[in-house]
Structures are given as C-alpha cells and as structure tokens.
Amino acid sequence: MRVTWTGLIAVLSLALAGCLGGNSTTGTKEPQKFQLAVSPSSAVLRGGDTQTFSAAEGGASTAPTVAWSVNGVAGGNVATGTISSAGVYVAPEFPPTGGAVTITAVETADATKTAASAVTVNNPIPQVTTVTPASIPIGAFTLTVNGAHFATGAAIQFGTGMLTTTRVSSTKLTAAGTATSAEVGNVPVLVKNPDPGSVTSATVNAKVVNAGPLTIAISPTSATLRPGSNQNFGVAITGNANTAVTWTVNNAGLGSPTNGYVNPQQGYGVYSPPGIVPSPNTVTVTVTSAADPTKKASATVTLINPIPVLTAVNPGSLGAGPFLLTVTGSKFVNGATVSFGGQALTTMFVSTTELTATGTASVAQAGNVAVLVTNPNPGSSASGTLSAKVVNGGQVISAAAATRFLEQSTFGPTPALANQLQQTGFDIFLQSQFSATSSTYPVPADTDTDLSKVQTAFFKNAVNDGDQLRQRMAFALNELWVVGANKVSDPVGYTNYMAALTKDGLGNYYNVMKDVTLTAAMGHWLDMVNNDKPGTGQHANENYARELMQLFTLGLNKLNPDGTPVLDGSGVPVPTYIQDDVMALGRSFTGWTYPTEPGQTLMKHNPSYFGGPMVAFESNHDAGAKTFLGQSVAAGQSAGQELDSVLTIIFNHPNMPPFVARQLIQKLVTSNPSPTYVQRVAQAFISGKFNNYGTGQRGDMQAVAAAILLDPEARRGDNPTTAVATDGKLREPVVMEVAVARAFGATTDGTGFTNSSGAMSQSLFNSGSVFNFFPPTYLIPQTTLNGPEFAIFNTNTSLARVNFINSIVYGQLSSATTLDFSPVINAGTPDQMVAWLDTQLLHGTISDSMKQSILTAINANSSTDTKNQAKTAIYLVLSSSQYQVQR
C-alpha cells in the first residue's frame, strides 16, 4: 500500500505542476563510466519558461566543459529557444513547428562525447489585461481583448460560451458575439490557448447592460452648400454606451473627390463639398452606429455652384463695334457667362480664374459699362460688377494698321481685337497686354510620358488666351533658347522651361538668362547638369558655355551697335570670344545637378528629375579664379554666386543688345531689319526705356517689345502706299496655324495642330538641334535677302501648308477644333466676301489679279450655295503667297 500511494502522489504532483504552468522534468540516470549525460534527460515547458540543464561524465570527479546547442544550432535561436553557456535554456514564446526541441551538450575536450535531452514546448499561459468595451449592450457586440501570450488559435470565452475569435497579434484578440438579457451584470471573460498544452488565462469581468433600443440621429437632415463652405453634422446616439460611428458620402467611406468628404470628429462630422458641383447635384451623408451597423441616419446635401468673384476686365477701354474681353477672378464654372451692360456675351470658359467673351459695343454705350460674371444653375449667382469704358472718339488707326500690328504682336488678329485696336490705338493695347494675366500650363500627371499635353496646352493658350504678346515673346525666346524633345521629353521639365519663358518674356532679359539656365530641361539638353569640376589636366564640359554665347546671347562675332559686324584691318569679322573663354565659362558652370527629389538627400549627381530648377553641389564646383571675356572672375565664390558673376559679364557685353534685338525683330516683324532699326531697339534694351515703357533697367523686355512694334520701320506699310517690298517675313507654320484659327473664331482644346505643324517641318518643341528649325541668317535662294523661315520651305512643306488649309476649310483638325466661317458666308455678294477676307487677312493689299481669280472661282459655285462660295474664297486667300508672307 505504501508503494501504491507514493506512485499516485507523484503522478498527481506532476499533473498539478502542468496545470500551474511549471516545468515538468524527469530524473537522470547515473552516467556510465566515461560517458556524457545531460540532466534532466527530458522536460516539458511552456512558452517563455526557463530550465537549467547540466552535463556530467561517468567516473569523472568534476563536471566536464561542454558546448550547448538547440536543435543543432549553437546557443539556439528565437524559434526554438536559446541556451546559455551555463546551460540555462529559455523556451520560445510559442511552440516551434512539431513542438519538439532537442538540447545537446558536446564535451569541449572530446567532441565525440555528446548527450541530449528532449524538451516538449507547450503554449504559454495567456494573460488578459483589458477588455473593451467595458459596457456591452444586449445584442450583437464586438470585443477587443488586450494582453500577452495569445497563441495562434487562441479563443475568447465570454461567460460559458466560446466566441469566434480573430488573432490580431500575440497581444490582441477580437471577437464577435451576442449578449442576452440573462447575462446582464458581470460576465467573466478569459482567453484559452489551444494545444499543445491547452491552458486558460485568469478571468476579467465585462459588464452587460440592458440599455434599451439603440437609436441614432443626424442633424441637420438637409443642407445646401457651395464649394468652399463646410457643414457640421451632429450625431446623437441613445440606448448604447458605444458612441463610435462610421461616415459615408454616397456610400463611399468618408467620401470621394467627386462627391466631397467627411472629416470625423468627436460627436460630429465636418462635410466638405467638392470643388466642382457633380451631376446630379445632391449627395447623401450617412452616419452608421459601430455598435449596431443596422442603425443609420442620413442627411441630404444639395450642392450649388459658387458665387463668382470678378477682379479684372481686360481691356479696360474698347471701341464701338466688335470686341473681345478677358475677365479674371475666381470661382468661375464651365457655363458661366459674361454680361456687358446687361447683355450676355458669347463666353468661353478658359479656367476657374479666366473667361473670354465676344460682343459688340454700340455708340450709344460710350462711357463706363458694367461687366459681371454669372455662374449657371444649380444655384446661379452673379459676381460684383467692374466697368469697361467704351470709347467713341472715332477710329484712331486704320483697319490695315490694326491688322498688321496684331500680326506682329499676337498669334493673329481676330475681328474683335482688330476693331478694338482701331478705336483705342497701339498704346492702350500694349498697356493692356503688359498687364494681362499670364497663361499657364497644367501640371503634368504622373502618367504623362511625353510632350503631347504640353504641346496641346501651348496651342490652346495661343488660340484662346488674352496675353497674346507675352505668349509671342515666349515663343520667340523658345526658338532662340532652344530645348528639343528629342532629348528632353519629360513633360514636367518642359512645362517648367516654358513657364520660365512665359514669366520672363515681358520681364527682364537677365532673368531669362538665369531662369532658363537653371531649368533642368536646359541643363539636360546642353549638359550643364552634372558638369563635374575638372581634375588636373582635364576640362569641364563646354557645351552649354559655347551655345550660351554663340546662340543665345552674343553671337560668334563682335557687333557694332547697329548689329553689323566689327571688322579688322583686313575686313575680317572679329571673334566675340576665344576658346579660353569657353573653357573658363565651362568651369564656372560646374557643380550643378538635377533638383533633389522630395524626401531624398542632395548628392553630387542627383538622379534625373525635372521637378524644379537645378541645385548646386558645392564641392563639385570649380571655385578657382578665372578670366572670362577679359574680366576677372574671383576665386572662392559659390556656384550660385559665380553663375551671377559670369551671366552679368555676358549681360553687359556690348554685343547683347543688337544680337537680341535683331533676332526678336525677325521673329515678330521682318526678316531684313535695317541696321538703324536694330540700333534703335538695341538702345531700348540698353536704357530699359522706350517712350513711357520700361523700368529703366537694362534688358527690360517691355521696352524692347514696344520699341520693336512701334518703330517707324515696323509701322511703314500700315498705309499700303508706304509699304516696302523687302519688308515682312514668311509665316512660320506654328504661327500661321494659330493665326488662321484665331481669324475664324476657333473653338479648340488645342488638339490637331501639332501633327500639322510637324508636316510643315516645325514640330512644336521638337527642334532637331540647338540651332532651331531655321537659322536667323538663312538667305532665300538666288537672293541676298534673309528669309529664316524659308529654310524649311520646300516642295513638300509648301504642299503641307496647302493641305493644312484644305483640312481646316473642308474638313477638320480634330473633333474638338472647329472654325466659324459664318462671317464670310453672311458677308453678302462674292465681292463682299473677298472684301471681308482682304480686310481681315491681307490688311487691304489684295492685288487686282488675285481678286479676279478668286471671284472667278467663287462664281463657279451655285449662287445659292453661299457656304461653298465662302469656303472657296477662304481656301484661295489662305493658301496664297500674299497671305503666307506676312507683310
């Protein structure tokens, strides 16, 4: 009996130890002589438990030195547990795959002597620290239990029932269940870890409450909002201590860009409407109880258009007759109309900040006329009013003078703009252009990979926008400071490059120099980006240094103030610079790299990125002393300081005024300006003043533009009797395309033009080299006359010009580009049709022979088919040499 009771007590002791989480070990046999043994020879542990193992050798008087491993890994690891050199084993938090672990000892003095112990690792005892929510309503609920040692497969027990449990982590479990009225009061909650070694935690109480039915309400239940204003929606929950809610807008979590968003707050939500009113213009804001998702409350929001804000009307003065207004402000929506003296005008939506409108002012309206903008329904509303002044002082200039001036200063005259200019004169027009809101280019999307959208935006702006002179100057500078898509095809880079030209086109030429130099597009195009400080015996990259002087600012040879070359005693042109100047300038341009991408750190060579101006890596800049164009460049300057130093030397060089003046005259007015014309414009560049235009600072582009356009040589020909046969220029394809579109009131998104200009050898933004599509010194074959644009005029491109005219008259450029020929169709007789075209397109210079040929062609159509009569006349005038050459 004694033996039996002793065995039973031992078994009960082991079982009790397992339930309490303690270690379970077995005895160790005495090792045989000279053999190694590990004690204990086996053990059962829970995750995280500790067990000390020892090694003994039979017959040895001292314990041998051994190395310990776990499952063959010296010292063990996190997955199977770790063991110290002293034999202290720490079990992993959770059983390894299979659950079995082998502890092995290897005698250091004799590696053939080994011994092992088998360890079984069971799941740890789970620990519960918190249960939320503290109060649980009768009905469906969700519990979150936080604690430690939650094994895979752990389950939450709520009262006497096990809940369907989700293990979030070893420290967090969630479970859903249903509380009954019988459970009102404290309910024990515990966590049970599964086998191996299934074990439960201590209990924590949760409280079930009988709170009555859950209700949820939202206030207000309806609202009317305009973009830019928010609405707070309050939430009231009764019958449940759990006040957590979720929000949706038209069933989308928290909302969407189309329908607006809700910003959740404690006890309420803030709804913000979208910037553009959707269709339909009502949205539903819904709040849902987290405790019972079947309980919801909704509010209806009616969205209406914003109240427009009008800040400027351009021009401020206009003459009686057709006119074009550009109004700027904010909160304009598509469908908005401009009213002039209470009469709604034909309005084009350009952007949320700009509208253009055409109409006709009567003599009776002379004086100040109220202008306002009205946004359409839903919620139609009008802006405050501004005034435009109708001038009835008679015609200041002739129709011919107005048309010629607009050909030189814009992308082409429109009937409204020509009439307006006739009434107000050149000065008021220039003043309005200098103050006009600048055109912009949309920010490219991440998915844009080429320049197609940038090209489309250029044509859209050129046809539609009011800042015509700024755009013409920017385009002229684009052809002088060339960057081509064959190397720079990044739309962000080219957008930033065109933005710099547009911003500075009527600013100061020094800013043009600096801003364009630092664009990543130009840096990439002419290799200034990542231009390294040269080592001993090496040279910096000279590409940009050479082209900056040769093509953009000074030219190859020294110039007199009138642009003629300076000659040495042998009659040979004197070079502007020598190779040493190119080498020195190349050194000055070292150290610049691509802009640093957001979230990255500046490096010597930043990766290719075009989202801003280039940045300097100073240690890669050659800061040594230099001599450039006969002037000293001090040592020790930063990359930015030295950039300013050398650009200032170039900017103040005597070549720059006549060099820039001649090329801009050629782009706008005539291919063969006289030396005195060049000198007069160059003087405006130097002084920064022309009449009342300009700031008085060297390089003022408004003074230069006014000097070019108002010069007597530009204005001769306003009266046909003063015209000079060698004046004028061949219309370059891009300008010709836009001029035709503007002449016939085109409605366009900018599509359709790029391919046509490419067929005429002027693929916009895609010059094949830094020398532009055509050089400024190209001579018309078999003549001594300059004709830069004739460099791309040949049999193929001349046919392409005619094909373009044919497409726009008898077909279309694109589905979104349409022209309006109704003014010609409704002009009256064939003679009147030709007269309209002569006035609007040829400023009254049509020859008798050309007129007779056109009338013969018109009369070949039925006298009742005025549409085809008009198209015949339009086609013949536009494709004629008298139109293709701007005089």
Side-chain angles (χ1 to χ4, degrees):
M1 287 296 290
R2 181 178 301 168
V3 173
T4 303
W5 279 108
T6 301
L8 181 58
I9 291 170
V11 170
L12 290 173
S13 298
L14 287 173
L16 183 60
C19 291
L20 295 177
N23 300 351
S24 176
T25 63
T26 61
T28 303
K29 296 180 180 179
E30 186 70 23
Q32 297 181 12
K33 193 171 185 179
F34 305 123
Q35 289 186 347
L36 190 66
V38 172
S39 177
S41 59
S42 64
V44 178
L45 306 177
R46 291 196 179 277
D49 285 352
T50 299
Q51 173 67 53
T52 300
F53 291 92
S54 60
E57 184 179 344
S61 59
T62 60
T65 300
V66 297
W68 295 96
S69 64
V70 182
N71 282 11
V73 177
N77 56 35
V78 174
T80 58
T82 60
I83 190 165
S84 70
S85 58
V88 179
Y89 171 72
V90 179
E93 182 177 12
F94 299 108
T97 302
V101 172
T102 300
I103 306 296
T104 303
V106 178
E107 191 170 329
T108 304
D110 183 357
T112 64
K113 294 181 179 180
T114 66
S117 175
V119 177
T120 300
V121 179
N122 290 329
N123 275 319
I125 299 173
Q127 297 174 5
V128 176
T129 54
T130 62
V131 176
T132 55
S135 296
I136 300 171
I138 294 173
F141 66 83
T142 300
L143 279 185
T144 298
V145 174
N146 296 301
H149 309 312
F150 300 154
T152 300
I156 298 173
Q157 181 173 320
F158 183 80
T160 59
M162 303 301 294
L163 303 181
T164 301
T165 304
T166 299
R167 181 178 184 263
V168 179
S169 68
S170 64
T171 61
K172 183 177 181 179
L173 303 175
T174 61
T178 303
T180 66
S181 57
E183 292 176 304
V184 171
N186 289 329
V187 176
V189 176
L190 58 82
V191 171
K192 180 178 182 180
N193 275 345
D195 283 327
S198 175
V199 64
T200 60
S201 68
T203 61
V204 175
N205 284 335
K207 188 174 184 179
V208 174
V209 295
N210 187 5
L214 185 153
T215 63
I216 184 169
I218 189 171
S219 62
T221 57
S222 64
T224 299
L225 294 179
R226 298 185 189 271
S229 58
N230 298 331
Q231 175 66 53
N232 289 356
F233 286 102
V235 180
I237 294 179
T238 59
N240 198 301
N242 182 359
T243 58
V245 295
T246 58
W247 293 88
T248 60
V249 180
N250 281 13
N251 297 318
L254 296 182
S256 66
T258 301
N259 297 311
Y261 291 94
V262 170
N263 182 15
Q265 302 293 323
Q266 185 66 40
Y268 66 98
V270 181
Y271 171 73
S272 300
I276 299 175
V277 174
S279 180
N281 67 311
T282 57
V283 299
T284 301
V285 176
T286 301
V287 60
T288 302
S289 167
D292 183 356
T294 66
K295 301 299 176 63
K296 304 178 180 183
S298 296
T300 300
V301 181
T302 301
L303 301 175
I304 59 177
N305 282 320
I307 299 173
V309 177
L310 178 60
T311 57
V313 177
N314 189 44
S317 296
L318 47 91
F323 62 80
L324 170 70
L325 284 182
T326 298
V327 301
T328 54
S330 60
K331 300 182 181 179
F332 302 155
V333 301
N334 202 353
T337 57
V338 177
S339 294
F340 182 82
Q343 181 67 39
L345 304 180
T346 300
T347 305
M348 174 178 290
F349 176 80
V350 179
S351 69
T352 57
T353 60
E354 181 177 345
L355 304 171
T356 61
T358 56
T360 302
S362 66
V363 173
Q365 289 177 302
N368 291 324
V369 178
V371 178
L372 59 82
V373 173
T374 301
N375 276 344
N377 281 320
S380 178
S381 59
S383 68
T385 61
L386 293 177
S387 293
K389 187 175 184 180
V390 175
V391 179
N392 187 28
Q395 289 187 355
V396 177
I397 58 174
S398 67
T403 301
R404 288 189 74 250
F405 190 85
L406 292 172
E407 286 179 333
Q408 298 164 353
S409 60
T410 73
F411 273 103
T414 65
L417 204 55
N419 172 73
Q420 189 172 303
L421 183 57
Q422 282 185 261
Q423 306 296 327
T424 60
F426 301 139
D427 283 320
I428 289 179
F429 176 80
L430 286 177
Q431 291 165 14
S432 68
Q433 285 295 297
F434 291 152
S435 63
T437 302
S438 178
S439 294
T440 59
Y441 287 79
V443 177
D446 293 339
T447 54
D448 293 342
T449 57
D450 58 30
L451 300 189
S452 57
K453 289 185 179 179
V454 188
Q455 293 163 323
T456 298
F458 170 89
F459 283 113
K460 179 177 182 289
N461 292 346
V463 173
N464 297 323
D465 285 4
D467 62 330
Q468 286 287 303
L469 179 54
R470 180 182 287 104
Q471 289 192 68
R472 273 302 299 271
M473 292 293 283
F475 182 59
L477 293 171
N478 166 263
E479 295 185 301
L480 181 57
W481 294 74
V482 177
V483 170
N486 61 351
K487 186 175 179 181
V488 182
S489 59
D490 184 278
V492 173
Y494 218 97
T495 295
N496 290 339
Y497 160 73
M498 286 304 298
L501 294 178
T502 304
K503 175 176 70 73
D504 298 333
L506 290 176
N508 189 283
Y509 202 78
Y510 183 85
N511 294 335
V512 174
M513 295 170 63
K514 184 172 182 179
D515 290 346
V516 175
T517 293
L518 289 180
T519 60
M522 182 60 80
H524 184 86
W525 172 248
L526 288 179
D527 307 320
M528 181 175 156
V529 73
N530 294 336
N531 181 18
D532 293 335
K533 176 173 65 176
T536 303
Q538 297 179 327
H539 300 289
N541 188 291
E542 300 167 5
N543 199 15
Y544 184 64
R546 179 175 290 102
E547 309 303 2
L548 173 65
M549 292 190 289
Q550 176 183 342
L551 299 176
F552 305 161
T553 57
L554 304 179
L556 286 172
N557 300 312
K558 288 186 178 180
L559 301 175
N560 292 307
D562 63 3
T564 57
V566 174
L567 306 178
D568 63 15
S570 302
V572 176
V574 178
T576 307
Y577 53 87
I578 60 176
Q579 177 59 22
D580 286 347
D581 294 315
V582 177
M583 294 171 63
L585 189 56
R587 290 172 56 205
S588 293
F589 287 156
T590 55
W592 296 92
T593 185
Y594 293 101
T596 306
E597 294 187 67
Q600 301 302 310
T601 302
L602 173 64
M603 298 185 291
K604 176 181 177 181
H605 288 177
N606 276 344
S608 177
Y609 174 63
F610 291 84
M614 292 189 294
V615 294
F617 191 86
E618 294 297 343
S619 63
N620 196 30
H621 170 60
D622 183 345
K626 306 166 187 74
T627 299
F628 172 58
L629 293 177
Q631 299 190 45
S632 296
V633 179
Q637 297 186 80
S638 69
Q641 291 168 336
E642 189 159 335
L643 177 69
D644 284 329
S645 295
V646 295
L647 290 183
T648 299
I649 291 172
I650 296 172
F651 182 64
N652 289 317
H653 193 282
N655 261 35
M656 176 170 280
F659 179 86
V660 173
R662 179 179 177 82
Q663 295 215 45
L664 291 179
I665 292 169
Q666 287 183 312
K667 299 297 183 190
L668 300 178
V669 177
T670 180
S671 296
N672 294 275
S674 69
T676 54
Y677 186 5
V678 172
Q679 186 167 0
R680 289 190 292 269
V681 175
Q683 182 56 42
F685 185 104
I686 294 167
S687 66
K689 291 290 290 184
F690 179 80
N691 297 341
N692 294 322
Y693 299 102
T695 60
Q697 299 294 318
R698 181 184 177 93
D700 187 287
M701 296 297 283
Q702 292 188 14
V704 170
I708 292 172
L709 296 169
L710 298 176
D711 190 88
E713 198 165 317
R715 301 280 46 87
R716 71 186 183 195
D718 285 355
N719 181 336
T721 63
T722 64
V724 174
T726 55
D727 284 349
K729 61 194 293 291
L730 178 66
R731 297 180 195 266
E732 56 188 293
V734 166
V735 178
M736 186 267 291
E737 286 183 304
V738 180
V740 171
R742 287 175 56 80
F744 294 101
T747 300
T748 183
D749 62 356
T751 56
F753 294 90
T754 303
N755 289 341
S756 295
S757 71
M760 292 180 265
S761 291
Q762 194 182 21
S763 178
L764 181 68
F765 302 154
N766 198 21
S767 173
S769 76
V770 73
F771 295 97
N772 189 24
F773 297 99
F774 38 81
T777 55
Y778 181 81
L779 294 179
I780 302 173
Q782 301 178 11
T783 76
T784 58
L785 292 175
N786 265 337
E789 297 81 6
F790 279 96
I792 58 171
F793 187 82
N794 52 43
T795 302
N796 290 334
T797 59
S798 64
L799 290 174
R801 286 174 180 254
V802 175
N803 287 338
F804 167 75
I805 301 301
N806 184 73
S807 294
I808 62 169
V809 174
Y810 293 105
Q812 63 177 19
L813 281 185
S814 74
S815 59
T817 299
T818 59
L819 275 64
D820 179 14
F821 300 131
S822 61
V824 186
I825 296 170
N826 299 327
T829 66
D831 274 312
Q832 290 170 317
M833 291 181 181
V834 175
W836 190 97
L837 293 169
D838 186 22
T839 299
Q840 299 298 327
L841 301 179
L842 299 174
H843 37 82
T845 62
I846 191 168
S847 65
D848 290 338
S849 60
M850 179 177 170
K851 177 179 179 180
Q852 188 55 53
S853 296
I854 294 173
L855 287 173
T856 300
I858 291 176
N859 290 324
N861 296 281
S862 169
S863 61
T864 61
D865 190 0
T866 55
K867 181 177 181 180
N868 272 321
Q869 284 184 330
K871 287 190 172 185
T872 299
I874 294 167
Y875 171 81
L876 292 173
V877 169
L878 292 178
S879 59
S880 70
S881 59
Q882 291 191 39
Y883 178 76
Q884 291 293 315
V885 174
Q886 170 190 313
R887 295 188 181 277

